[in-house]
Amino acid sequence: MHMAMIGLGRMGTGMATRLLRKGHELVVYNRSPEKSEELAEAEGAKAAMALEQAVQLLERPRILWMMLPSGQVVDEHIEKLLALLEPEDILVDGGNTHYIDDVRRAESAQKYGVNYLDVGVSGGIWGLKEGFCIMIGGPEQVFEQLKPFLHSLAPEDGYLYCGPAGAGHFVKMIHNGIEYGMLQAYAEGFSLLEHSPFARHLNFSRVSKMWNNGSVIRSWLLELAEEAFKKSSQLDDLSAWVGDSGEGRWTVQQAIQSSVPAPVLSLALMERFRSREENSFSDRFIAALRQQFGGHAVKKSD
């Protein structure tokens, strides 16, 4: 039993490499063929130079796992693939897709008799070594067919069937929203340490390591913090600009639609937006009004 990996970014390459090293036969395709050729040479994958070739190299029922950026590029690939696939073939979207899009895409695939699974994947660049956490939505009997691959991709108890179309990406969306809140909490805590009277006595790498041994806030994120502080004790080699993949926004939108209070996750997203503003207008506005009503001191711009 083998499948094709479509899209060889960081996650796609890591997943493909892990599957190949676990003994699976894999066809790999990327719009820039160099990545496919590298995996073929280094790990024994079969490199496809076009989607048509990727389909032709697979036995039925074909399994094609897409690891593509969310949005239009996924729709474009699905449209092309549905014209090439046959009934009972399986199409998997493992990228960061909004779960609402999965429902629409599953219905489109069903018209062709093609099975569609939405799969949320977490693990980042560590997934190759540690395994990927995988959340699956779609027909349960189709999920069963993917188990040999999921068992190789994930650590023990690291994958879960979550429900019908959209469920996998919905659970992954909430996972990422929680991640935003956890990162913000750690960031604010270390910022308080940095601005404390005891800052010059504290080694933040050692603090991270200590908290990760017996503390109720121990986590893998603190392991990563320990390593980050080892490399740069004040993180002064980085700019204070934090991106977002979109899933945090979708989580906050879901909270609004469901009338479920999620203040921590919402504020964590707002803080990411704030990180991208230098000399923010809102901060200048507050300073100006504090001066107007209270005569508070302001700092003039250079």
Side-chain angles (χ1 to χ4, degrees), residues 1-3 58-64 86-90 115 145:
M1 188 178 188
H2 60 288
M3 74 172 188
L58 293 173
E59 299 173 359
R60 296 193 63 198
R62 305 176 184 93
I63 303 173
L64 294 97
E86 298 177 77
E88 302 309 318
D89 288 345
I90 300 170
N115 295 303
Q145 295 180 59

Side-chain angles (χ1 to χ4, degrees), residues 1-6 26-27 54-55 58-66 85 88-92 115 117 142 145-149:
M1 188 178 188
H2 60 288
M3 74 172 188
M5 184 68 69
I6 310 298
L26 209 65
V27 175
V55 172
L58 293 173
E59 299 173 359
R60 296 193 63 198
R62 305 176 184 93
I63 303 173
L64 294 97
W65 189 311
M66 300 180 295
L85 298 178
E88 302 309 318
D89 288 345
I90 300 170
L91 190 55
V92 180
N115 295 303
L117 292 178
V142 183
Q145 295 180 59
L146 250 67
K147 276 189 173 180
F149 301 106

Side-chain angles (χ1 to χ4, degrees), residues 279 284 298-302:
N279 191 20
R284 297 201 309 274
V298 294
K299 292 184 178 181
K300 298 294 184 180
S301 61
D302 295 334

Side-chain angles (χ1 to χ4, degrees), residues 135-208:
M135 298 142 265
I136 305 102
E140 190 166 6
Q141 70 275 15
V142 183
F143 152 73
E144 293 289 339
Q145 295 180 59
L146 250 67
K147 276 189 173 180
F149 301 106
L150 299 172
H151 186 71
S152 294
L153 284 168
E156 187 175 358
D157 297 323
Y159 68 86
L160 180 70
Y161 174 72
C162 300
H169 278 139
F170 186 88
V171 174
K172 174 58 162 51
M173 176 184 77
I174 302 304
H175 162 282
N176 279 33
I178 293 169
E179 173 196 307
Y180 278 44
M182 292 175 68
L183 288 171
Q184 187 64 29
Y186 284 131
E188 291 177 12
F190 277 103
S191 183
L192 285 167
L193 292 178
E194 168 67 14
H195 291 85
S196 76
F198 312 105
R200 66 187 181 89
H201 302 283
L202 293 171
N203 179 307
F204 291 164
S205 181
R206 291 179 181 174
V207 170
S208 301

